[in-house]
Amino acid sequence: MGRHKEWRKIAKRERRRRIRTHLAKQEENEHRNESFLKEQELMETLMLEQIKKSNKEENDKWIQAEKINIEQWNKLQEEREKLHQKHLEQVAKIKLEFELEQKNKKIEEERLKEVQRKHKKKQAIFMHNLDKFLSGDADEPPSELRVIHETRPNAELCPFFFKTACCRFGDQCSRNHQYPGISKVLLATNFFTHFGLSNANLNEYDTDIMLEYEDSDTYKEFKEFFFDVISEFEKFGKITQFKVCKNHEKHLRGNTYIEFAELRCAVAAYRSLHTRWYGGRPLLLQFSLINSWKNAVCGLQLQRRCPKGRACNFLHVFRNPNNLFSGYSYDNNQDAERSQRSSVRSWRWSESPEPEVPKSRSSERTDRRRRNSRDADDYRKHRRRSPRRSSRR
């Protein structure tokens, strides 16, 4: 029995110890649970605070970005509005300029019409006065023609143009050229053309080009040209001088000067023959001032002692058949000589361009020989009929 009691004491003590241990464990577990819960609550609180803070930061960022986007959008809208306003202003400006341009164009058209009307009226008055002058009803030419056009008014006169009415530099000359509005002298530049003149300046590439052409051939062509042209110009009145240049310089080559005794004869000839066609080329006439034929024609050329030859800048002229217009004063006996010439109209005079028929060189040479022989016969007939014979050929 004693052992059983001891065992029961020991069993109770162990039972109480297990109960205390169990209760301690429970208390410890409860205490642990409470701390864990507190920690969890604290962690949750911290997480919530962090979440709130991050949400607040993100919200602030979003709000800032939204403000920036709104500002950019507003700026973009302002720029678009400015561009639209500028476009409207440009459209309005273009419309205003177009209307102003149309208005100015209309005013300019009306002004041009008025100018044309005045010009036509002035031209009609001018042509009326010109017709009166040409018919002899008026003694003086129209005032519009009594003018002198100058290329360089403030420069000194070009000596060559002043004497010969031609200059190698043309209107590009550094000196003054005076062109009269009306004159007794008509100048047809490069009117007489011939192979012997245009190819007389030999070059190193073709030195044999002039072997088949002599001065006599050129002069025969000139005689035909002289009788053909002089009869056409004499229809308008008495001619006092007729000079054709045989210079080789381009600004003088083939230039033809016709001086009439009366001013109205020169005007009538200019009015009828200017821009006419001769030999397939237009005849371009201009009024010129020749103050002295002695100063214009090279004096040494008449004596065949000119050192520059045909490259001289003064006039080297052909000798007219029968020495017509050879002097510097008009000879009344020339009327009888020119009245005996044929008045048949030349085929070269035409109102429009003439087509050129290509010929072979041999046929041209044959035609030239036949024409030269025929001209020689006509010239001998003229010399027999003429009361005034030439002293030299």
Side-chain angles (χ1 to χ4, degrees):
M1 291 286 295
R3 291 183 179 180
H4 180 70
K5 287 181 180 180
E6 289 178 1
W7 176 81
R8 286 188 59 85
K9 288 179 182 179
I10 293 169
K12 289 181 180 181
R13 189 175 57 245
E14 289 293 329
R15 180 171 175 273
R16 288 193 298 270
R17 187 182 60 81
R18 286 196 300 269
I19 291 171
R20 287 194 302 267
T21 302
H22 178 70
L23 291 176
K25 287 181 179 180
Q26 284 183 350
E27 289 178 0
E28 185 179 357
N29 289 333
E30 288 178 0
H31 180 70
R32 285 180 179 179
N33 288 335
E34 289 179 359
S35 62
F36 176 77
L37 291 175
K38 287 181 180 180
E39 288 179 1
Q40 289 295 323
E41 289 179 357
L42 183 60
M43 290 293 295
E44 289 179 359
T45 304
L46 291 175
M47 288 180 65
L48 288 175
E49 289 178 355
Q50 289 180 356
I51 291 172
K52 288 180 180 180
K53 186 177 180 180
S54 63
N55 289 338
K56 185 178 180 181
E57 290 177 356
E58 292 293 331
N59 190 25
D60 293 340
K61 290 181 180 180
W62 181 83
I63 292 173
Q64 189 67 24
E66 187 70 16
K67 288 181 180 180
I68 294 173
N69 292 332
I70 291 174
E71 290 178 358
Q72 291 179 353
W73 172 256
N74 293 333
K75 288 182 180 180
L76 182 62
Q77 292 298 320
E78 290 177 359
E79 291 178 358
R80 287 183 178 178
E81 186 67 23
K82 288 180 180 179
L83 291 175
H84 182 66
Q85 189 68 23
K86 188 176 180 180
H87 176 69
L88 293 178
E89 291 177 356
Q90 289 181 352
V91 170
K93 185 178 179 180
I94 293 173
K95 185 177 180 181
L96 184 62
E97 290 178 353
F98 178 74
E99 292 177 355
L100 185 61
E101 183 180 357
Q102 292 296 322
K103 185 178 179 180
N104 293 335
K105 187 177 180 180
K106 187 176 181 181
I107 294 173
E108 184 67 16
E109 289 178 355
E110 293 178 356
R111 190 186 66 81
L112 289 176
K113 288 181 181 179
E114 183 67 18
V115 169
Q116 290 178 359
R117 186 182 65 79
K118 290 182 179 179
H119 179 72
K120 288 181 180 179
K121 185 177 179 180
K122 187 177 179 180
Q123 186 70 13
I125 296 173
F126 169 75
M127 294 303 297
H128 177 69
N129 295 334
L130 183 62
D131 292 336
K132 286 177 64 177
F133 174 70
L134 294 178
S135 62
D137 296 336
D139 297 332
E140 296 293 332
S143 59
E144 292 84 356
L145 296 178
R146 291 177 295 185
V147 294
I148 294 180
H149 304 282
E150 301 185 27
T151 56
R152 300 180 185 272
N154 298 326
E156 60 178 313
L157 293 177
C158 178
F160 289 103
F161 190 87
F162 178 75
K163 294 178 181 180
T164 64
C166 291
C167 176
R168 65 187 301 175
F169 300 107
D171 291 341
Q172 301 298 324
C173 181
S174 60
R175 300 185 179 183
N176 188 18
H177 293 179
Q178 292 181 339
Y179 293 92
I182 191 172
S183 173
K184 292 182 181 181
V185 182
L186 291 177
L187 169 60
T189 55
N190 308 122
F191 187 24
F192 175 64
T193 57
H194 188 263
F195 186 85
L197 287 180
S198 58
N199 296 276
N201 294 327
L202 303 178
N203 54 61
E204 59 179 344
Y205 301 106
D206 194 359
T207 57
D208 299 335
I209 192 172
M210 291 298 295
L211 290 179
E212 298 183 5
Y213 291 90
E214 299 178 355
D215 291 342
S216 58
D217 297 330
T218 306
Y219 188 70
K220 288 177 183 178
E221 293 285 343
F222 164 71
K223 286 191 298 183
E224 181 179 352
F225 170 81
F226 176 84
F227 289 118
D228 193 14
V229 172
I230 197 69
S231 60
E232 192 74 18
F233 277 93
E234 281 183 336
K235 295 178 182 180
F236 304 97
K238 184 182 295 185
I239 296 176
T240 59
Q241 287 295 336
F242 188 89
K243 306 290 184 185
V244 179
C245 298
K246 58 180 177 180
N247 301 64
H248 291 167
E249 297 295 327
K250 290 183 179 180
H251 69 285
L252 290 175
R253 186 188 306 160
N255 285 5
T256 304
Y257 297 84
I258 307 99
E259 182 179 2
F260 287 88
E262 296 183 4
L263 189 61
R264 60 169 48 90
C265 299
V267 177
Y270 178 86
R271 187 178 178 185
S272 295
L273 298 180
H274 183 58
T275 66
R276 281 278 303 278
W277 286 78
Y278 179 82
R281 296 190 309 118
L283 172 58
L284 303 178
L285 296 173
Q286 67 183 37
F287 292 105
S288 302
L289 285 177
I290 301 295
N291 298 312
S292 173
W293 287 106
K294 290 184 179 179
N295 294 333
V297 178
C298 180
L300 297 177
Q301 176 259 340
L302 300 176
Q303 304 173 11
R304 298 182 180 180
R305 291 191 298 108
C306 181
K308 294 186 177 180
R310 294 183 181 179
C312 181
N313 285 320
F314 292 98
L315 305 185
H316 286 210
V317 297
F318 286 99
R319 178 179 58 84
N320 294 332
N322 298 334
N323 279 337
L324 298 177
F325 314 108
S326 59
Y328 299 117
S329 61
Y330 189 77
D331 189 358
N332 294 328
N333 294 329
Q334 295 175 0
D335 289 338
E337 297 176 5
R338 289 193 297 276
S339 63
Q340 295 175 1
R341 291 195 296 269
S342 174
S343 62
V344 179
R345 183 181 179 87
S346 172
W347 61 271
R348 293 181 177 88
W349 291 98
S350 60
E351 302 293 341
S352 59
E354 303 163 349
E356 297 182 0
V357 180
K359 293 184 179 180
S360 62
R361 190 162 184 175
S362 59
S363 62
E364 290 181 355
R365 197 174 303 161
T366 305
D367 294 342
R368 189 181 299 106
R369 290 174 181 172
R370 291 176 182 175
R371 186 166 59 253
N372 291 339
S373 62
R374 186 167 58 252
D375 293 341
D377 294 339
D378 294 340
Y379 181 61
R380 284 194 290 271
K381 291 179 183 179
H382 281 295
R383 287 176 60 87
R384 289 194 216 100
R385 291 198 296 267
S386 174
R388 180 181 177 183
R389 299 181 61 86
S390 174
S391 60
R392 63 178 182 177
R393 295 187 65 182

